[in-house]
Amino acid sequence: PPDPPPVGRPGWRRPLRRMPAALRRAGTLDGLAVAALAAGALFVATGLLPTADALATVGRTGPLLVFLVAVVVLAELTARAQVFDAVAVRIAILGRGRRWALFALLVTFATLTTIFLNLDTTAVLLTPVMLAVAARLGIVALPLAMTTVWLANTASLLLPVSNLTNLLAADRLGLPVAAFAGRMAAPQLVAVLATAACLWLLHWRRDAAARYPVPVPHRPADPVLFRVAAAACVLFVAGIVAGVTLAAVSVACAVVVLVAFAVRDRPAIGWSLLPWRLPVLVTGLFLIVETVGRHGLSSLLAALVGTDPGPAGIGLAAAVGAVLANLLNNLPAYVAGEAVVPAGHTDQLLGLLLGVNVGPLVLPWASLATLLWLERCRAAGLAVPWLRFLLTGLVTAVVVLATAVPALLLTAG
């Protein structure tokens, strides 16, 4: 059969020319990562950040970085084994040619993946599925890609495993899984519904009446690699559900697939599989935020967030968290904000958590999930129209915050 058409419309590369000059060059993310790490190293070398504090920061982020590298390698090889193609075709078959049904299926899939697996996993594993759906059906890829990245962030409120910030918050508050989910269920439901509405109005509505051809089931080129990669993904999910640490389960599953490819498709294995930008960037960001926090950021945040445990304080904490996540990154933003929320202000801390989880939709470095999504889009050749990304993300972030914060207030103690 002929190769599937490229993602997007025939002029799908044109949005690249509309990208801001600072992001247009191929090595921009590389430069940003190196610059962030260099700045962090400079702070340590000059004594602005004590070496002991820097080592403690690196120690806290180590398991996260191991997870990021391993899960990207797993996703790369799983995509080469055509597992994502098979899943994409199955989703398209279930939609029966109806765009609205395809939209509902993809929103549901992205939401459940984020809730039960983690937003970074959604960005890595689901983005190739979305892009494969677009390629197989010959439809515009951007709406499907935006469905992934927005829901990877806004659907990450319900469970501690859904977001690493949730794990930090649950540990700080001493909330078990059931209690945490009980507090976040209402804002999570509202956030997903608001995100779906924005996705439909801003990205899906234009071609809603069109139908797509229902494809035939996909047959992988190498059934053995296909089965091994699919089994590794299932084991990855099972490990997370069973409570195995993210770093351990991701490394184990990546090693299984690497061994299979070493036996059956050796050329697929190379240094290019390692996503070095992400761990370098994350380490640099944490060192920068740690330094800035010691030299004025904590005082500024304390003044901005305040000490009001009531509705105004909760809403203010959410707004500050969303803005800070877009400026820095949601993980260091939460860590910095958590440090200034008074002990015992559970609702205010949950407001901050809501803001850093659902707010980072505007700038590409606002969350690790968005950076992972961007890596997947670049690997698939999808050029993101950055002005549209920024504007629609801003609108959606405001809408989701404005609706999810009142839902959180309903569960406030």
Side-chain angles (χ1 to χ4, degrees):
D3 291 333
V7 291
R9 297 189 186 278
W12 63 275
R13 287 189 182 276
R14 291 173 189 164
L16 186 62
R17 291 193 287 270
R18 297 197 295 269
M19 189 185 298
L23 295 173
R24 190 180 303 152
R25 295 180 296 276
T28 297
L29 188 57
D30 303 14
L32 181 62
V34 172
L37 184 61
L42 179 63
F43 292 150
V44 176
T46 57
L48 290 173
L49 179 62
T51 302
D53 291 350
L55 292 176
T57 298
V58 172
R60 289 198 305 269
T61 59
L64 169 63
L65 303 183
V66 171
F67 160 71
L68 289 176
V69 172
V71 80
V72 169
V73 172
L74 174 64
E76 287 276 7
L77 296 178
T78 302
R80 188 176 178 95
Q82 301 181 353
V83 173
F84 298 135
D85 294 271
V87 175
V89 169
R90 179 54 55 187
I91 290 175
I93 292 172
L94 291 175
R96 298 182 179 180
R98 299 164 297 182
R99 294 289 184 99
W100 66 266
L102 181 66
F103 171 75
L105 285 167
L106 294 179
V107 167
T108 301
F109 189 26
T111 299
L112 294 177
T113 302
T114 302
I115 288 175
F116 291 104
L117 297 184
N118 182 276
L119 76 166
D120 300 320
T121 306
T122 295
V124 173
L125 298 182
L126 190 54
T127 303
V129 173
M130 296 288 194
L131 299 180
V133 168
R136 288 281 171 179
L137 303 183
I139 62 178
V140 181
L142 185 63
L144 286 76
M146 296 304 298
T147 300
T148 304
V149 71
W150 282 1
L151 286 168
N153 288 285
T154 62
S156 66
L157 288 170
L158 186 63
L159 301 176
V161 73
S162 305
N163 198 323
L164 294 174
T165 55
N166 296 358
L167 292 172
L168 296 173
D171 181 66
R172 157 83 179 262
L173 298 173
L175 291 176
V177 173
F180 186 93
R183 291 301 313 273
M184 304 306 287
Q188 179 64 95
L189 176 61
V190 170
V192 168
L193 293 176
T195 304
C198 290
L199 280 167
W200 181 262
L201 293 174
L202 299 175
H203 288 286
W204 281 81
R205 182 180 58 172
R206 186 177 60 176
D207 297 322
R211 294 182 65 87
Y212 62 85
V214 179
V216 297
H218 176 75
R219 293 183 178 180
D222 188 328
V224 174
L225 285 178
F226 176 87
R227 288 193 291 268
V228 171
C233 290
V234 172
L235 289 174
F236 179 65
V237 173
I240 292 176
V241 173
V244 181
T245 60
L246 291 176
V249 70
S250 58
V251 169
C253 292
V255 168
V256 169
V257 181
L258 276 169
V259 171
F261 269 87
V263 174
R264 301 187 65 86
D265 188 8
R266 182 63 181 82
I269 301 176
W271 290 110
S272 60
L273 282 174
L274 295 177
W276 64 269
R277 303 176 192 87
L278 295 177
V280 170
L281 177 61
V282 171
T283 302
L285 284 175
F286 269 90
L287 292 176
I288 291 171
V289 171
E290 183 75 17
T291 305
V292 176
R294 294 175 58 89
H295 298 277
L297 178 62
S298 295
S299 299
L300 176 62
L301 285 178
L304 292 174
V305 172
T307 58
D308 182 3
I314 296 171
L316 185 59
V320 171
V323 172
L324 192 63
N326 278 287
L327 294 177
L328 300 175
N329 180 271
N330 65 336
L331 276 171
Y334 173 79
V335 172
E338 181 190 69
V340 302
V341 174
H345 288 204
T346 299
D347 299 325
Q348 193 177 19
L349 185 64
L350 291 177
L352 172 71
L353 179 67
L354 188 152
V356 300
N357 281 13
V358 308
L361 304 180
V362 185
L363 297 175
W365 55 79
S367 74
L368 294 179
T370 305
L371 290 172
L372 289 165
W373 170 83
L374 182 58
E375 287 277 346
R376 300 295 89 220
C377 290
R378 289 178 59 184
L382 176 64
V384 178
W386 285 103
L387 181 59
R388 185 179 182 187
F389 178 92
L390 299 177
L391 293 179
T392 59
L394 177 61
V395 170
T396 303
V398 171
V399 170
V400 174
L401 277 172
T403 53
V405 169
L408 177 63
L409 295 177
L410 293 177
T411 67

